[in-house]
Amino acid sequence: MSLKEASLRSITLRQYVYKLKGYSGFVYALIIAQVLGLLFSMNPMGSSSSGNNEFMVSVQTHSSDIVRFFSIAWIFAIAILLTTKQYKNIEFSLVSNRISSNLSNLLLLLSYAIFGGFTSTLISVVQRIIFYFTFDPSRIVLDGFFLSTHDLMLEFWVTSLYMILISSIGYLLRTTMEVHKIFTVIAPLGLVGLIRVYPEPFVATFKFYSSESSLSLFIMKVILGSALLFGISVLLSNRMEVRK
Amino acid sequence: MNVILAPILFIALFFVILLIVQLAKPWMSRHISLKKNILFAGIYLAILVIAVPIYYGLPTQVFIQASGSKNPVIMKSPAEMQKEFGWGEPSKGRVDPFEKGEAYQSSSQTFKLDTNVLTFKESNSRNYSVYVQRKSVDDGEMDVSTYNKGDYIADIDFTRAVLPPSISIEKGTLSISAPAKQNFEFKQFVADFILKQFNRPYPNLQTGFSSMHTPTIILIKVPKSLDIQDNSNTVQFVN
C-alpha cells in the first residue's frame, strides 16, 4: 500500500500528457485532411453564366466549408479511435481508472478540437491567398474575399465547438460498440438506417444547433449536448470490465 | 447540402480518414518521433499564422467591386452626361439614353477630318446606340466617346472590364467594329456555414444569378458644317 495517495486530477493530467505525446501522430492525419480539403476547395461550389454576342460571363462561387467538413470528420475518426482496444492498451502502462481514462480522452479531444478549429480557420485564409496568386485578382470579387478578424475569431470558436460536439458523438458511438461486440455492427448500421428511415429527429437535432444565431446560446447548447454525450459514455464505460 | 446525404458523406469521409491513419501507422511508428511530430505541427501552424498578415496586406483595389460598394465603377452622373450631350433640362419626347442613371466612359478619341462628308460603317452588326451632335465650331476635328451604362452579374459590376468598340476613320467613313468576343470568369467567396449561421454580412451561395447587360452608347461630336450621310439610319441626332 502506498503512503502517497494519487489524486484523480494528477492521474488524469499525467495520462493526458502521456496521450498527447503518444498520439501526436494524429496531427498528420489532420494536416492531410485539411490539405485535401483545400485542394477540393479550389473547385467551385456553384457556377452560373450568361452572355450576349459581345461577351460571355460566368461566376464561380467558393467557400471553405469543405476544409471544415474534413476537419470535423477527422476529429470524429479520432474520437472513435481513442476508445478502440489498440489505443486503450496504452493506458495500462500508467496508473489509471475508467474515470481518469475518460477524462484524459476528453481533455485530448478538447485540445484537438481547439487545434483543428484554429488550423481549419486559418486554412480559409491560405485558400484566399492561393486564389489571389493563382488567379487574376481583377477577376476575384472583393465582396466576401476579406474576412474581418472578428469573423475569423467567430469561425475559430464555432468550428472548435462543432468539433467538440461531433467528437462527443463519435466517442459515445464507439463506447456503445465496446459495451458488446454486437453493437459494433448494430450501432453504425442502425444509425445510418435510422437517418434514412426516420430523418426527422436528426434533422431537428441538426437544426437545433445549426439554426442558432446567438453565439452565447450556441455555446451553451454545445456544452450541454457534449457534456450529456460524454457523461453517457463515462457511465457506459464504467459498467465495463477492467480490460475490455 | 442535403441533410440526409451529408451524414452519409460524412461517414464515408470518416472511413477514408480512418484508412489513412491505419495505413500511415506502420510508417509513422518507424519514422516519426514526438520531436518530429511537434516540429512538423509547429511548422504547419507557423505557415498558417504567417498567412494572416500576408492576407490582410493584400491590396484591395485590384479586386473587382460588387455594386453598392464604396467605389463604384460609374464615373459620370446623369447631370454630367446631360452636360456632355449638350442638353439642358430634360424635355418631353427627347431621346435620352442616360435618363435612367449614370454611365461609365469607356473610351474617348479625337480624329482629324480630311473630308467634309461623313458616312458610317458598322461591322459585326452589334447593337450600338450611336448619337451625333454638331459642335458650335468648324474645327475639323471629330470627338468620339463611348459609354456603358452598366454590365452586372450577381451584383458584380464588370462594366469597366468590357472593351469598347474599336472606332476608326478613313476617307470620310467612320468604322465601328466590335472587339473579339470576351470571356469573363469571376470568382466569388461566399459565406461558409458558420458565417451564414451567425448572419454575418457576406455573400451567400445562390443557385442562379441575375444579370444585366446594356448596349454601348457612342457619342460623336462633329464640326458644325460637316455633311453627314447616314443611309442605314444607324445614328440619332441630338440638339
Side-chain angles (χ1 to χ4, degrees), chain A residues 60-110:
Chain A
Q60 295 180 340
T61 47
H62 297 264
S63 93
S64 39
D65 275 343
I66 300 170
V67 176
R68 216 154 264 129
F69 199 69
F70 274 47
S71 305
I72 291 171
W74 166 79
I75 203 153
F76 185 72
I78 299 306
I80 286 189
L81 278 173
L82 280 182
T83 41
T84 54
K85 200 182 256 181
Q86 202 179 354
Y87 285 89
K88 270 166 79 177
N89 282 343
I90 297 170
E91 289 174 2
F92 295 108
S93 55
L94 288 173
V95 176
S96 71
N97 59 22
R98 287 278 182 221
I99 295 175
S100 69
S101 164
N102 281 315
L103 285 176
S104 59
N105 282 345
L106 172 64
L107 282 178
L108 195 68
L109 287 171
L110 282 177

Side-chain angles (χ1 to χ4, degrees), chain B residues 59-122:
Chain B
T60 54
Q61 63 273 19
V62 292
F63 296 92
I64 190 146
Q65 309 266 353
S67 63
S69 58
K70 283 177 186 170
N71 302 304
V73 164
I74 301 305
M75 296 297 189
K76 297 200 174 207
S77 67
E80 283 176 310
M81 288 314 301
Q82 288 197 345
K83 197 178 164 192
E84 183 87 6
F85 270 63
W87 292 331
E89 288 299 310
S91 61
K92 201 181 171 184
R94 195 177 60 204
V95 183
D96 183 355
F98 301 106
E99 67 184 346
K100 282 180 185 164
E102 300 153 308
Y104 167 66
Q105 187 174 31
S106 51
S107 74
S108 179
Q109 290 169 278
T110 300
F111 298 99
K112 282 265 180 212
L113 288 169
D114 46 9
T115 59
N116 286 327
V117 182
L118 182 71
T119 55
F120 293 92
K121 185 185 162 193
E122 196 183 339

Side-chain angles (χ1 to χ4, degrees), chain A residues 9 49 77 94 131 210:
Chain A
R9 194 180 154 190
S49 58
L94 288 173
F131 265 77
S210 65

